[in-house]
Structure formats: C-alpha cells, structure tokens
Amino acid sequence: MKNEMIKNKPMDRRGFLKTSALLGGSAACLGAVEKVNSKGFGREKINYPLNDAENVIYSVCLQCHTDCPIKVKIEDGVAVKIDGNPYSIQNLNSPIPTSTDIQIGAKIDAGICPKGQAGIQTMYDPYRVVKVLKRAGKRGENKWKVIPFDKAITEVVEGGKLFADVPGEENRVVEGMRQVRALSDAKVAKAMAGDAMNVGKGKMSLADFKAKHAAHLDLLINPDQPDLGPKNNQFLMLAGRMEHGRKEFAKRWMRGSYGGNNFMEHTTVCEQSHHIAYKQITSQYLGGGKWKPAAEHLKPDFRNCRFVFYFGTGFAEANFGPPIMASLATNAVTNEGCKIVVVDPRFSKSAAKAWKWVPVRPGGDAALIYGMIRWMFENDRIVKSFLVNANKAAAKKANEESWTSATHLVTFDKEGPGKKLRASDLGIGLSDEFVVTKNGKPVAVNTNDKLNPITGDLFFSGELNGIKVKSELMMVKEYAMSKSMDEWAKEAGIDKKEIIALVKEYTNFEKYGRKVGAEMYRGPVQHTNGYFNGMAVIYMNMLVGNIDYNGGLIAGGGHYHEDGSKGGPFNFKKDAFAGKTKAFGHKISREGSYYENSTYFQKNGYPAKRPWFPHTGNVYQEAIPSLDDAYPYSIKILMTIMGTPLLSNPAAQMSMQTILDLKKTPLYIASDVAVGETSMFSDYIFPDYAIWERWGTPHTTPAAVTKMSKMRQPTIEPLTETATIFGEKQHVGYESMLLAMAEKMGLPGYGDDGLGKGMPLKRIEDWYLKMASNLAAGDHKGDALPDADAKEIEIFKKARRHMTSATFDFDKWEKACVDANGKNWFKKTIYLLNRGVRGEDFINYVKNVENSDKILHKFGKLFNFYSEPVGTTRHSYTGKRFSGISKYSRAIDYAGKEVVGSSAYPLKSITYKPITGGQARTQAVDYWLQAVMPENTIDLNAQTALEMGFKDGDMAKIVSADNPDGSWDLGPAGKKYMIGKVRAIEGLRPGVLNTSWSFGHWAYCARDITVDGKLIKGEKARESGICSNAAQAVDSGLKNSCLEDLVGGSAVFYDSFVGLVKA
Amino acid sequence: MTREKMGNILVWILIIGFGVWGFQGMVDRFANGHVNTAYGSYIPWGLWISAYIWLIGLSAGALMISVMTYVFNVKAVKKVGKMAFLVAIATLVGAMMSVGIDLGHPLRAFKLIYDPNLSSMMGWMAVLYSAYFVTLCIELYFAIRKEQVRGEKQKAIKKILVVLGIWSIPLAFAFHGGVGGVFANVIAKPYWHGPMLPVVFLAGAFLSGGALFCTVAYIWRPAQSKDEFLKMMIFLGKTTLALLILDEILELSEVYVGTFYSAFGEGHLWQQILFGHYWYVFWIVHILIGVLIPLFLLTAKAKSPGAVALAGLLIAGSFLAVRLNIVIPGMLDPELKGIADAWVNSKLTFSYLPSVMEWQALLFIVAVVMAVFMIGKKILPIYQTAGEE
Amino acid sequence: MSKEELSRVDENLTLETDESRRDFLDKFSKGIFGGLIAGGIVNALAPVQARADMDGSNLNFAEPFKPFDLPPAIPGEDVILRMMRDLQRALKKPIEQRHWNMVIDLRKCVGCDACSVSCAAENKLPPGVIYRPVIQQEIGSYPNVGHVTLPRPCMQCDEPPCVPVCPAQATWKRPDGIVIVDYDQCIGCRYCLNACPYDARTFDFGMEYIDGAADAPKVFLGKEKAGKYETEASYEYEKEWKREDDKSPIGNARKCHFCIPRIEKGMLPECVVTCIGRATYFGDGSDPDSLVAELIASPNAFRLKEEVGTHPSVYYIK
Ligand SMILES: Nc1nc2c(c(=O)[nH]1)N[C@H]1C(S)=C(S)[C@@H](COP(=O)(O)OP(=O)(O)OC[C@H]3O[C@@H](n4cnc5c(=O)[nH]c(N)nc54)[C@H](O)[C@@H]3O)O[C@H]1N2
Ligand SMILES: Nc1nc2c(c(=O)[nH]1)N[C@H]1C(S)=C(S)[C@@H](COP(=O)(O)OP(=O)(O)OC[C@H]3O[C@@H](n4cnc5c(=O)[nH]c(N)nc54)[C@H](O)[C@@H]3O)O[C@H]1N2
Ligand code: SF4
Ligand code: SF4
Ligand code: SF4
Ligand code: SF4
Ligand code: SF4
Ligand SMILES: [Mo]
C-alpha cells in the first residue's frame, strides 16, 4: 500500500461505506459511523493560551551559568513552560528585531537546553526553603527550626548566645555582624587605607602607622599587620558565581556599606585560568608599567569557522553554551564542511561530530600544542604578515584589526626573562614605548599608535646596549624547539603522526584561510599549569592571525551597560552615597595582592605559608582552607550564597572539619533555596528567590556576534515568605536579606535616599529597575529604546496579574525609573522588560558578513605572547619568577613536588559536565533530568576496566592516597562514600577515570531532615551517583586544600591520581 | 464426608482465603489505578492479560465438553453438560474481570459492545464475547429447561441445543482463535506474529478447559453409576491426554522453529524462556507440573479417576504459566534498542515480574470464578435429569 | 517535492518483499477464523483506519488560522523562522491537502534531550509517559569511537499498525497525517502500545513526579504547592486536559501528536523549537517549497524500520 494513497487521497466516505457494506450490512458499524460524525473531532475552538503575550514573562535562565534568555509561560500564576527567547541571539541564530511586536514574539519560541526546560522543577522543588531555618542541633546534624525573618536578622546582626538551646553551646557567645563591623567611620577608613597598604609595601613604617592612627588601631584585625585591614574583613561572603546586577548590589553592600573586603565568587573552581590567560594575553599597556586586561573570554566564530579545535570543551554539553553553540557548530559541520577536532581524554558528544577525536593525556594540552607549534615554525606555517605588525597603525596598514607583541623585545637578566625592553632603555624613545628590531636595528614602538605603522623582526635574539634581549616570538620558538616532536608527542600522549596531521590541516591556509580557530574551556586550564596551557591555546589562534576575522577568533557583540557607565541615567560606577566606606586590606584568599607587598613577607620571606595570587581573583578554593589556617587571618562570620564549596571544590572534604569547628567558623549564615550540601552545615539558612523569581543583568557569551543585553526579572510571585523591610512588604531573598541587615545595622547607602537624593533603596526593584533603565537608555545618545505604547503597557500589567504588590507595584516600579533629573524611564524600561533582552538588529551582522571578511564587532587590540606582569611576578613559595610565555609542565604542587600515581592509585581522575547537569544542582531536584540521567557512573576505558578486573555495572569505590577510605566525612551526618557503578566504555583514554558533575548529593533533602522536632522524609533518588571531588589530591605543601594553579588561581580537577576498589 | 462435601468445603475455604487476601489487590487497583502494577508501557500486558487468556481458554474448553454433550451426543459426558456451561460461564466472568481491571477505563469498555472497531481483533473480541456470553446463558437455560419438559417440547429444545451447539463451535473457534489473533496480528512482536498462534491458542484452550473439567466432574460428579462415572473419567482422561499430546506437538514445533534459525530474531526469547531468569516457569511449572506429571498420570494411571482429576487440575492450573510464557516474552524485546535507557522510569523497563497486588487481584478473580460456580451449582438444577423419551 | 518524488523515496527505502510477506502473514492470521476474515478484508482494503470524518470536509475549525506577520526574511536566518513561514503557508490550505512531516538530521543531533524534556513539560507528561525519548549509544572501539543518537517521536505512520488494533476507534489518522488518540474514547487496553513497532506509545499510569516527596508546607514549599505545574492544563489535540482523579488522559494510551494545538496556531512543535542542534525540522511535506520537502529529498534520508511497512511521516538524515 503506497502512502500517497493516504496522503493525497484520503479514503472518501463512499469508500468507507463500501467497505463497511462488505461486512454484510453490519448495523453496528453504521451506527459507529453516525456516532463518529457527531463526535466531530476538530470542531472545538483550539485553546492554546501559551502563545499570548499576556501569559508570558521574559527572564534569564541560570540552571547553568550560560544565562540564556528565556520566556516563562504562566497560567493561573504558575510557571508552566519555559522556552527560549526569540529576541535573543543566544536562542535564535538570527534573533528577531527588538522592535518586533510582542504578540509576534510570544508566538516564536526558540531553543534552550534540557536544564533550561526543567527550570520549572527547580523553581517548584517541594523541598525548597521558603522560611528562615535556624540550626537546632549540632552543625551538620541536619536539625532545624523555623524562626521569623525579623528575629533571624536581629540575631545575626546583634550576636549573643544564639545557640543556648544546643547542647554544648549553652554559653557560646557569637559575635554578630554589627560587632565584626568594627570600622564604620568612612573618614577613618579612608585615612587608614592607603597607609595600611603602604606598611605592607614597606613604604611606611609600622611605627609611623601606629603613631598616626593610634586612636583606631583596635579596629584592625592585627595592629601589627595593618595591611590585613579592619576587622570588617572577618566577615567573608562566598558567592558562587554571582551574576551581574546582583554582584554589583552585593559588592556595594559589602565594600561600600559594610566596609569589608572579603567578597568572593567561585571562578577559580570554575575556569579562572582560562580567563586569566585571556586577560594577560589581551592586556593593553596603559603606560607607567601598568597593564589592563581587555578581555577575559573570546571564542572562535562558530558560524563561519571552517576548522575548529576544541580543547577540553565542546559545543554540545557545557561551555557557554550549548543553546547558542550547538546549532552553529552542527550547521557548520554538516552544511559548510567545517572540520572540528576535539582534544579531550573523554569522547564527548562534540567529539561525536568531530573530524578527529584526540584523547590527549590529561594535562598534556600544552605539549600537544607545542608539538604543533614546533611544526608550524619548522614548516613556516605561521601567518607572518599578521605577526610582524607591532602596533595598531601597522595592523591597520596591513588590513588587520588586532596585532600582537610577537616582535616586541623582552629583556633577560641572570634570572632569565623579565621586563619588556623600553625604548628609554636604549635611549631611542620614551619609557612607555617598547622596542622591536627591524633588520636587527632597534626601533621604538608605541603599541597603541594609530599613525606610524611599525613592523619588526619576528625572530631576534641578541644584545642591545649590553642588554640581552629576545623577541617574544623568538622565545616561543626557542621553547617550541626545546623538545623534539617525539618528546612533545610523548608528553601529550598522542602519536607524532597524528599531531602533524592535525597541524597540517589547521594551517592549510589555502583551504581555510583565517577561518580557523582554537577554543578551550575547563579541560586544559584546571591544572597546576592551567594558565600556561590556556595561553598555549590562544597562541594557536595568534599564530594563524585569525583574530577579528569572520570565522576566526572573536570577542562577541558585547552588551549595553547596565551600570550606567556609558551614559545611562543612573551611573552606578559613580555611586558615591553618603557614608560610603573604603574597604582595604589583603583578602583572605590573598588574591590581587603581591606577597612581597605584605607584612608577612617582611616577617617570613619565602616560602609563604600559602600562595598569594596577584594576577587573579575569586580564589574560591583558598577561602575555607585559609580560615582553617587563620592565614592571613581568621574569620568570624562566613556567608555563602549560590555556591557549595564543600561539594564543588576538589579535596573539599578537607574543609568539612573547618566548618564544623565552632572556633574557626563561629557564625555561618547561608542564603539558599534548599538545604544544600554546604548550607546544611550553616547556622541560619535564609531563603533566596529562585532564579525565575529574581532580578539580574547577566552578560552575553562571546559566541554571540551581535550586541545584546538581557534582564532577569521575576516571572512568578516568589514562593518565599514575606517580611517588612524599610517599611516595604517584600519577599525574602538574598537582596532583601541584605537590605534588612543594612536597615538593622544602619548601613549607609540604603533607605530613603539610598541611591541619591530622593532615590530610595528600600525594595529590590529600586536597584534593578535602574539597571533596566540604563539598558533601555542605551550606551549613547539616540541609543534608547522606544517607549512602550499603551497596548504594551496593558499587556505588561496583565502578564503580572498574578503578582501581589510585594512583588509588582506599578507605581513603585515607575518611581524607581525616575532619574535625578526627574526624567521617567519607565516606558522604555517596560519595552525592555516586555522582551527580556535588547539586541542589536541582526541585519547589521548579515550586511557586514556579506561585505567584509572581518567580524562585525572587532576587538582590534594588542595580543601579547609574553606577559610582562606575570613574567616579573615571583612564585610565593620558591621566590622564582614565573614564565612570561606559555610553558608546558607536568603537574606540580605548591612546594614544587610532581604529582604522581602509584600502583594503588594508578588512574588519572577527570570530570565533566553532562548536558543535563547544571552545576551541582539540577540533577538533585529536576525529575525530568533524572529521567534522562538517573545516576552518574565511574567511567573507565573498557580495556582498563578489564585489566583492573572491573566489569560494566560493577559497584566500585573511588579511593586516593589522601582519602584511602573513599569517603566524605560529614561529621554528625556520617559518611558518604564515593561508591558508584562502573561503566566500561570505549570513548575514554585508557588509564583515566571519569565521573560527571552534578551527582553524589547528601543534602538537598536526599536524606531525611528534622525541622521543629519533626522528621521530614527525604527523596532517596536525589542521592544517586557520586561526586569524585573528595578523591582529588591534597596539596602536599598546603595540607588542607587541593592542587592549584599559582598564576591563574584555578583549583585543579584533572591532575590527581586515584584508585578503584570493589564495593 | 463425601468427596463432594470435602470439595465444597475446600473450595469455599479457598474462596474466602483468596477473596479476603485478594480484595486488597482489588482495592489497590481501584484506589491507585495501575500505579502498583509491575507492567508498564514497554511491557504493557502482564499477569492479568495472561490470566484472561488462561480463563477464557478454560471457558472455551468447557464449552467443548458441552458441545460433545449436546451436539455430538457423547454418552460419557452426557450428564455433565450443564455443569460445563456453568464452568464456561464462571471462567468467562473471571476472564472478563481480568481484562476489565487491566483496562485504563473499564467502564468505557461497554461501548465496545455496540460500537466496536471491527478491524481490531480486540474489537471483535468484544462482539464475540457478548455473543458467546449470550449463547452460553441461552444454552444453559435450555439445557435446564430440557430436563423440565417432556415430549415435543423437549425435542424442540434438544434441537435448539444442537443448533446453538453448532453455532457455538465456530464461535469458540472464532473467539479463542481470535484471542490468538489479538497477539498473532501484532507485526511489531515477532514472537507472537505468525499464523500458528491462533491454532496454538485453540489447542491450549481445549486442553486446559478439558483438563479442568476432569477435576470438576470428579468432585461434583452427577448422579451416575460407578461404571458410568468411571467411563466418564476415562473418557475425559483420554481426551485430555490426546489434547495434551497435540498441544505439546504444537509447542515443540514452536520451540523448534523459534530456536533453530532464530527466525525473526526471536531465538533469544526462547533462550530466555528456557534458560533465562524465569526458567522455572517453563521447566518446573509448565513442563514438570503441567506436562510430565499429568502425562504420567494420564497414561500410567488412566483408569484411576482420582489420578485423572489430579492430572486435570495440574494441567489447568499450570496453564497460566503457559499463557504467561506466550504473553510476556513477546514484549521483552525493545522495538528500538536502548530505548529503556533513554527515559528512565520504573514503568519503562523491559523486565516483568508480577507485583503482589497483581497476584492478589488475580486470586480475587479466581475466588469470584469459584464462587460463581459454587453458587450457580447451588441455585441452578445442574444435576437434575429427567430422563429422555 | 512532487508526489512522484515522494514515492520514489519510498521505493528506494522500502524492502518490498519482506513487507509483503509480513503483510500476507498478518492478513492471513487475522483472517484465519470465520467472521474475522471480514475484519481482515476491511484492513486489507483500508489499511489505515478510515473514519467518516477523515476526508476533512467536516473538519471545520471554529477559528480558522489567523496568519501573523513574521519579521522579514533575511539571508542566513534561523531555520525556525523559515519553518514558521512554511507553516503559515501550509495552514492556508485545506487540511486534507497538507501532510505534516518531521525530519531529524542525525548528523546535527547532539543528544541533548532538550526535545524530550521540552515535550514532557509542554504536554505535562507524568512519570513513565514520554513522547520523544532520545536513544543514545556508543559504537566502535577505542580510539575509533562514535556516539549515535536517535530521537524518537511518533512516526505518524501513513500505515500505522497502532490504529487498526484499537478496539475502541479511539485512535486514527487525520487527513494531514497525524495519528491521534481520542482520550475520551480510549479504554486503556494498551493494545496499540504493543502494536507500535517503535514503542512510541506509553500509558498514563496516573503518577506524578511529586509523588515521592514529603509534604511539609510549614517548613518547605511542600508537595501540594510544588505539584501545581503538573496539574495545570495540558493542550493536546484540540482540548485542554487537567490531570485530576482518574480522568483522561490518566488511564489512556498517549503519544506524540506533532503538537497539534501549536501547529494549528502557526507555531512549530516544541521539540523543533527547542532543538539546540537545529536537527529537527517540521512542515508540510506536500508543499514542494517547504524545508522538510527539501530535506526529505536528500540522498541520505531514510525512515526507521521501513521493513515493517508503516510508512512513517518522520524521516531521518544520516
Ligand atoms: N551542561 C552544563 N553546561 C554548563 C555548566 C553546567 O554546569 N552544565 N556550567 C557552565 C560553567 S560554570 C562552566 S565553567 C562551563 C564549563 O564548560 P566546559 O569546560 O566545556 O565543561 P566541562 O565538562 O567541565 O569540561 C571539561 C572537559 O575537559 C575534559 N578534560 C579533562 N582533563 C582534560 C585535559 O587535561 N585536557 C583536555 N583537553 N581536556 C580535559 C573533560 O573530559 C571534559 O570534557 O560550562 C557552562 N555550561
Ligand atoms: N567534580 C566536579 N566538580 C566541579 C565541576 C565539575 O565539572 N566536576 N565544575 C566546577 C565548576 S565549572 C563550577 S562553576 C563549580 C560550581 O560550584 P558552586 O559555585 O559551588 O556551585 P553551584 O552548583 O552553583 O552551587 C549551588 C549551591 O548554591 C545553592 N543554591 C542553589 N540555587 C540557589 C539560588 O537560587 N540562590 C541561592 N542563594 N543559593 C542557591 C545550593 O546550596 C547549591 O548547592 O563547580 C565546580 N566543581
Ligand atoms: S545552557 Fe544553561 S542557561 Fe542556557 S538554558 Fe541551558 S541551563 Fe539554562
Ligand atoms: S489503549 Fe486506547 S487507543 Fe490504544 S488500543 Fe486501547 S483503546 Fe485504543
Ligand atoms: S509510530 Fe507507533 S504510535 Fe506512531 S503512528 Fe506509527 S505505529 Fe502508531
Ligand atoms: S511534536 Fe510535540 S508532541 Fe511530538 S515529540 Fe515533539 S514536542 Fe512532543
Ligand atoms: S533537542 Fe535536538 S539535538 Fe537535542 S536531542 Fe533532541 S533532536 Fe537531538
Ligand atoms: Mo564553571
């Protein structure tokens, strides 16, 4: 039977009757026909309310940190469906113009990943904390009581015998936030700050300092070490990856109002070294020895790329992020003949689409790259015409946008390379000019010079005026040539022939032109040598001159400025409210501080007890171990929000005891949506708004080629309790908690004139709607969005009909949009909120790509092969200088000891993010995602499994030299063993053990919990799988924390050796 | 105590026992729907559907005895014809209950009677069962009536019974072969799909029904002479033996075709049945209890009514295992390999072992079947014979 | 693509001999007994369950489709917008003149399961009910490894084995190619589940995801509040369904319906719009200008299990 019979000639009624008649006039059958007719399928009005803008509120997902714009569809006040925002380039490859009618926008759904879809189940987690929980048993015992919000705020602010009802703590007096905020006088702070740091730098004597500030010495953590700052620094706020908008709010509160310096995000357990590699390579010279990073994240133009390397990442599972990258990559591969190479010990879903999968030895990326670079130098396959340009003018002349420091000279002293050569050193120019050689003759070069093009010799090594110098590219070349291809291949764990095949294709300029690129994310950088590996990946781009080309390395379209710094009506950068304090002192993690600029260095010299990180920030994994060591000082109050350091850090089990220790962590406050793995050990859990109930202005991934800003906003009435703060009834959440604390302590910058005369900061919208107004106003004159018309305003209101005035109060919202000049930005803001994003018209991109080989939004800046700031910084243990160029090294710890395996612990342990796993969180609560992946596994290469005596499906326990028991010791909560199912697969490098992230929970109500004396049953399924972080190596030099990258600050996830035992 | 009394007591004990324990299962079924069943979407049919074809087979088999009585006038079973109708009705009721609780919307099933889809074998079943049920009731009525009238009237009734009996032959073939067809028509399930299955179903039905009747007739024997009784039992025993042999030949050929060249890739299913997880269902329950022991009893002890009755009971009871081994393995193979790992849920697996609640509900149904029989036997003049002219 | 071309594709991909053999066996076994042969004949003549309203003439929708203006087409625009344009064109035709097809490009599918989850969310699917699982498998051996993914919606077979088996006439094929389940008619016998050669139908057991959670509303959000999204209306076929008591769709067979309520509003199916690999395409295969028609004609297009003779409306590209 052919199908077109059905398709084109559906059986007509006569035909049907004929066949029925065959049955011998079966009356029953005719009866059926009658009935069917009366059933009349398809006659009803097709009701589908989810396509009406009145039922849609746009927001931004955060199930992972890709922050995709979404539209949340609402019925009866319940969020029932989440889809991608069609106005957004992260969801639609050609976003619809921002000017598109919102009723049309409502009918166009765009892409998001499964986690984004499952957001509903995170929002409506039955175990979501909606009231303040206070510890009612020992820390970690998981016994709680519900207490009123106001009482909780009073307790944490005022301190006292807060846990008198807990056995053993009857007499423990807890210092409250008010007491810890010893330094509350902005003038005093301002006077002390500079002097204190100068004591550290040795520019001021301690005696002088003490004499000058005698009246206030008691406000300092340690009067003998004023560079540690005031006691206020003993309040530590660990903030996961807090997002823009919220981050500015929190930092303002912490630094400007509370006067503390310890606000920290999680980025070093994330991928910080990748950022730092980009930051150093894109640092622009400001003069006076100062450098300023211009970008922390660039990406290949996946749309137009014809050959892409993915180092330790992909486009299909994680990264930033699947919804925007996957379709661009799959389209390029299937329709445009793009070739991709995935360098990853694990066969990923991206590798499944690759021309080649390169199962590199974990940590071997730089070796692999140097093998390729060596071949490029040997075979002259670098783009010299790009590399010779020494300044902006030269780039311009050569029809390039960006340029590199390939030709710049670096000086060498007896310690090796140091500062870059300055023209003034040779007497041929200024001290802010670098030097290149032209046919061996030195020429001064101002890299930012737009007028005088200067090109230089790529390879120069020699002495100039008695100073030993080398060109930066020479340094790279010499290093590449320092090992043979065979040696590089051996370190990379990849066949030499394969390496040559890869680089040959990559540098097939005749075929691919500049439409090639090398992408990376966590894989190469979360190593002890991560920063240098990251640089090597960027070199791969620089050497082929692909920067700013369509199909090359791009910076992305960027975003509008919600901070008002580009001319918006509310300039938060210049938010100089009365009483604003200056926070000072080294941070607990010693990030942003040179060891040599500390009183510790003056006292102890090298080695420092713990590393100092002048070139990085957010060194998350250092926070708790540092307070454990009370180095550089102890902490009185810990606050965590949106992060779970006791689970997500490698070797996190070492921190468990620190948190359980009431002396080391006297007060621990958490802001959370659940009783999380870390917040379970806290004293108070303040409920937070879920992602879809809160505000934010996250930024856009560089994978987006056009400019876009997005606005997270409440889509439903928050499910948390309400409280009255500054006289305003509002839901309890992170920001309102900070507002309440501010009110209680009388912190400056809040209340009626909090944001300036007549501009209150009493409700969270007072803050966020101003940011929204800035976005709506745009970055320059004429950039403002149109006003929402009456129809749109009506829809705006209707879409929020399910909200009470605690969340949505039209008049108050409007008031929040009135600037200091009385100008009302509300209508423009509504226009923005009605779309969730504002984006540049995509036609700009289309036109550009038709007419130019360069990308629409150009970076157009200097790229450094050699980082002068890093090259002149010393390792705080050895006191030796770091390398300024990328170098390969095997994993070593703080004390310089190589990380090696043994017969009991032979397997290199790695980890990855499945597409359904969003951070630590989604797999515990999202039932749909559990259906896709109910547990994770211990993956081994089938051959390795065989050799070790494991079969697919065997239960096994991960153990390590530092954790031979294979457990998380949770104190009163018992132990959680790293026991899971072995999966013997082909898609993994032999000798490697791989586990995914997002599983292995012990909290999130996976287990039973007691509240108000009642036992509440948990959900067993939430506990499934394992998290292997407790098996990661403990640094032998630090003893209580994981291995670290000392430049980039990253925590190390892929250098540890583990063993596997039957369980 | 007479055999009959003992039988009555035993059966009532079973009715009460099964009824009480089984009731829980029924309550669960109606309170929680199908949540606590072990079948799911990839193995959509389980114990209840197997029990349904088991019971409907018993019914068809019992009908066969009645046909022998009223159409072919087989002397040996002359006096148990009415009881055969009663057994057929009781098991039919059980079968309908079994399929009824298996449905998602049992109440809607009634509309199938007047509005079935005739291109669905199951649609036909609805029609045929209705027809069958009506036929059975009429037949029973006339069979009873026959004993209460004399002369022309009796003759007329006898004729009616012959006509009805003849009508019920194709009916039985149709509905039970059709049950086979329900499975055999499923192209998606190679293990079921094929022209043999309806035949196998029929043979099985006659075997199990006949076998059951051996037991029933033995316990609740009508008023007959010892000799008559012996003859009846020997006849029933022989018939059962013949059907058993036929059935085993059919089964052997199924196994042979199924395993030899792994036709349609179902060889591994036979592997599973024979040597898999639930090997004992085949080897112990079916082959040992349902075939070998009865075979021994029916040959070596063919002349002992007790042995024949026991053999019958073993065959009829264990036939549920045969039904399970037809229904379940057919569904064990994913249509698309790996589909159960694609979306993980307890209702989306390819393994099946009936849950306690399923067993409970089934036992409740068995209790109802027995109760219908016992009560029917009590209130209807089953043994009444008026003699013939 | 023209009809001729369509049938050419069919022929290329169909293993005729095997199919006809099976067809024969099928019909034979059906027809073997008595009156049932008549049923067999019905099936033989009308392989697809024919219903009187199948010709579409009496499918007069109360609300005809109201086209809306999509932003102007631009070069290199997202295929989602192109397909929405295709959709609008199709909806202007009478129902019997369109044939909905789905094409899944396996080269582009990244196995992300967004489609499965999106569909589950859109249709408020309870645990155990799934319309579009994505089957994943590793193939090859180190280091020559592959990973294949296979999203499996309902094939909307042109000769759907699930339809004739339904005793209750609860499932049939619409003139536009969609095989639907009338929840109000379905008795929940699950025959169609067994009959589908793609395991595309699942049974609604009446469960809820929230079932296993504790209800502690004074402390946590609590089960009752948390479970609300599960009991909000789902839009399937032309109605809204609320999950309450034992009412339909609880106790029914369920399957992918190509998102009828969405497509009839000019919106693409959920699994199409959310697909991050842009691997899923949807449209009117009988419109030669549509993207799906273009893709169906690709030399590497194929359909699943051609040998069972189902003639799926879903094509794959390898
Ligand atoms: N699904 C999902 N997506 C996410 C997130 C999420 O939680 N879930 N989170 C977001 C965040 S915060 C981040 S930081 C990004 C992370 O994005 P990615 O970096 O892409 O994600 P991971 O899975 O952590 O990637 C690590 C990869 O590196 C490989 N690898 C391990 N060791 C080595 C090595 O030595 N060399 C090389 N070349 N590869 C190695 C691992 O096998 C793994 O595939 O993802 C973002 N997107
Ligand atoms: N083994 C392994 N470990 C990893 C990774 C890996 O790939 N493998 N990836 C690493 C990477 S890239 C990252 S970015 C980190 C992430 O690590 P973290 O930043 O520590 O992690 P999250 O998973 O975002 O932490 C979320 C925690 O915050 C709380 N929380 C959840 N939602 C909310 C909310 O809405 N508001 C508030 N206030 N709190 C909330 C919960 O307690 C939850 O446990 O993990 C790192 N750790
Ligand atoms: S990629 Fe991340 S942010 Fe985007 S939809 Fe998925 S979970 Fe949400
Ligand atoms: S489950 Fe419903 S749709 Fe399927 S065959 Fe039975 S009645 Fe028909
Ligand atoms: S795929 Fe299965 S459910 Fe869908 S139409 Fe075909 S046979 Fe029916
Ligand atoms: S077409 Fe609709 S119903 Fe079918 S799988 Fe896709 S989303 Fe689900
Ligand atoms: S959403 Fe698209 S890419 Fe993801 S699994 Fe489904 S078909 Fe494949
Ligand atoms: Mo991260």
Side-chain angles (χ1 to χ4, degrees), chain A residues 719-730:
Chain A
L719 299 166
T720 57
E721 64 178 318
T722 55
T724 303
I725 302 157
F726 285 116
E728 298 278 341
K729 187 176 167 197
Q730 43 194 316

Side-chain angles (χ1 to χ4, degrees), chain A residues 7 18 61 141 359 364 384 523 883 981 992 1009 1024:
Chain A
K7 200 170 304 166
K18 239 185 341 210
C61 181
E141 216 178 350
K384 290 181 178 159
S883 171
K981 221 183 252 165
V992 170
I1009 175 170
S1024 72

Side-chain angles (χ1 to χ4, degrees), chain B residues 335-367:
Chain B
E335 297 295 348
L336 299 167
K337 202 175 155 231
I339 196 166
D341 298 325
W343 191 266
V344 179
N345 185 272
S346 59
K347 294 289 186 195
L348 297 174
T349 65
F350 286 93
S351 64
Y352 175 72
L353 187 65
S355 68
V356 176
M357 146 299 169
E358 280 173 76
W359 280 113
Q360 285 178 312
L362 174 58
L363 288 182
F364 183 82
I365 289 167
V366 170

Side-chain angles (χ1 to χ4, degrees), chain C residues 46-84:
Chain C
V48 173
Q49 172 68 2
R51 295 195 59 131
D53 53 359
M54 240 198 62
D55 64 2
S57 60
N58 41 11
L59 279 169
N60 55 331
F61 297 104
E63 254 188 85
F65 170 66
K66 284 197 227 86
F68 49 87
D69 292 330
L70 287 158
I74 51 171
E77 76 175 346
D78 197 306
V79 287
I80 287 183
L81 296 171
R82 153 96 195 262
M83 289 187 286
M84 286 186 81

Side-chain angles (χ1 to χ4, degrees), chain A residues 1 36 47-48 75 353, chain C residues 51 109 122 159 232 235 240:
Chain A
M1 243 60 52
V36 165
N47 183 28
Y48 188 73
E75 266 196 287
K353 311 289 176 201
Chain C
R51 295 195 59 131
C109 170
E122 172 78 9
E159 296 197 23
E232 281 297 321
Y235 301 92
E240 48 184 273

